[in-house]
Structure formats: C-alpha cells, structure tokens
Amino acid sequence: MRWIVAGLVTLALGLFAIVWWQGRAGPTGYLYAATSAEGEAGYCLAVAERISEITWGQGDPRLEAHLDEQVAFWRPRVGQSGGAGRVALARDSSAPGVNEGAHLHLAVQDCALRAVSFYGHRFPSFE
C-alpha cells in the first residue's frame, strides 16, 4: 500500500512539474502579440479610436457609448505606448487578406473582454 501512495505522489509531482515547465514557455498573455501591458493598452486604445474615426460618432448610440468607455478605460494605461499601438494596429489590419472591419470588430470585443475579465472593469454600456 505504501508503494501505491508513493507512486501516486510521484506521479502527481511529475505532472505538476511538466505543467509548470510547459507554462513557462507559454505566450506572454497579452492581446495581439503585445510585449507589455502598456503595449496591449495602446493597441486597444488604437482599436477604439479607429472605430470612432470610421463611424464619425454617428453609429449606434450604444456602440458609440461603449467606444467612449473603452477609450476612457485604456487611455490611462497606455503610458508611452500610444504610437506603438497605432503602428501595431495598422500592421495587423492592413496585412494581406485581412478585412479591416472584421479585424476591428473582433479586436474591440477582445479588448472589452480583456478589460472585464482581467482588470475587472464594468462597462455601463453593457448593462
């Protein structure tokens, strides 16, 4: 019986070590290949601002309110990465075969989900 318990403990420790080792080599966890939290914020800010530029503030009022909330949420987190976020967005949305509108649609959703799930932010426009 002692050998079985020792084997199970060894197996559990081995599995823990494998998961830990594999997790170290994982992605940074930032959206759209950003290398820092400020870079991610810059990208998300660029997404919200670009959609606002396209709609000229004349889109669905709930969408416009949400875009304003995203800009207000991401702007203080940008630091010095605002320009880098715009450059990264331009690179991603103008890549061959990429539809800018579709990319922006998915990116604004990803950024909102990141704000809610990671930062715990609550957007009033979601209510």
Side-chain angles (χ1 to χ4, degrees), residues 1-20:
M1 181 70 163
R2 198 180 278 183
W3 291 100
I4 293 173
V5 172
L8 290 174
V9 168
T10 303
L11 178 65
L13 288 174
L15 289 174
F16 176 78
I18 289 171
V19 168
W20 175 78

